[in-house]
């Protein structure tokens, strides 16, 4: 018995020579691969643009800008909120005031209508609460159609 690796077959390369292999096909596969990556890039760019538009439009109605000037806790059952709103003068707006407690739990709300005819409106409104409030804010304002 002969051992492995000995004899006449061990004189040449174990895996063969370059002449032992067939001719490699042309580089046509690179064009297909590049086209695939270009299509994927276009899809990703379109998706990112769509997502950006959704995020921009989800911001809400920026035509009514509000700012809380002050809030005052009047006891365990009410809170007053003084706020200023800027809106188009020819449109009416609806705002929601909110009172929260120390745990940021909503304890009272009130809807307020901002009339037509004024663009800058400053109001002081009372919000009835179910428990002692520690903060008051304008949750949102939107233009009425």
């Amino acid at each position: 018995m002969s051992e492995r690796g000995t004899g006449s077959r061990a004189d040449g390369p174990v895996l063969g020579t370059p002449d032992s292999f067939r001719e490699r096909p042309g580089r046509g596969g690179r064009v297909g691969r590049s086209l695939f990556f270009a299509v994927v890039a276009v899809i990703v760019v379109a998706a990112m643009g769509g997502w950006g538009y959704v995020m921009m439009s989800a911001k809400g109605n920026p035509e009514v800008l509000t700012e809380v000037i002050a809030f005052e806790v009047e006891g365990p059952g009410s809170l007053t909120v003084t706020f200023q709103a800027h809106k188009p003068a020819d449109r009416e707006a609806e705002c929601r005031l909110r009172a929260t407690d120390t745990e940021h739990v909503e304890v009272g709300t009130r809807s307020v209508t901002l009339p037509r005819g004024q663009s800058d409106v400053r109001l002081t409104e009372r919000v009835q609460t179910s428990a002692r409030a520690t903060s008051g804010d304008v949750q949102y304002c939107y233009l009425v159609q």
Side-chain angles (χ1 to χ4, degrees), residues 99-121:
T100 56
D101 66 3
T102 57
E103 300 292 323
H104 304 287
V105 174
E106 185 176 281
V107 292
T109 62
R110 178 171 181 195
S111 292
V112 177
T113 302
L114 305 179
R116 289 189 170 128
Q118 295 178 306
S119 61
D120 290 318
V121 181

Side-chain angles (χ1 to χ4, degrees), residues 2-62:
S2 66
E3 289 186 30
R4 262 184 121 164
T6 60
S8 64
R9 292 182 58 171
D11 294 339
V14 175
L15 296 178
T17 62
D19 295 333
S20 302
F21 300 103
R22 292 181 293 140
E23 192 67 31
R24 292 184 113 183
R27 297 290 182 193
R30 284 188 187 255
V31 173
R33 191 176 325 162
S34 298
L35 182 62
F36 170 75
F37 285 128
V39 168
V40 168
V42 167
I43 291 171
V44 167
V45 167
M48 295 298 284
W51 182 253
Y53 175 76
V54 166
M55 294 308 290
M56 228 171 44
S57 63
K59 185 178 178 184
N61 187 355

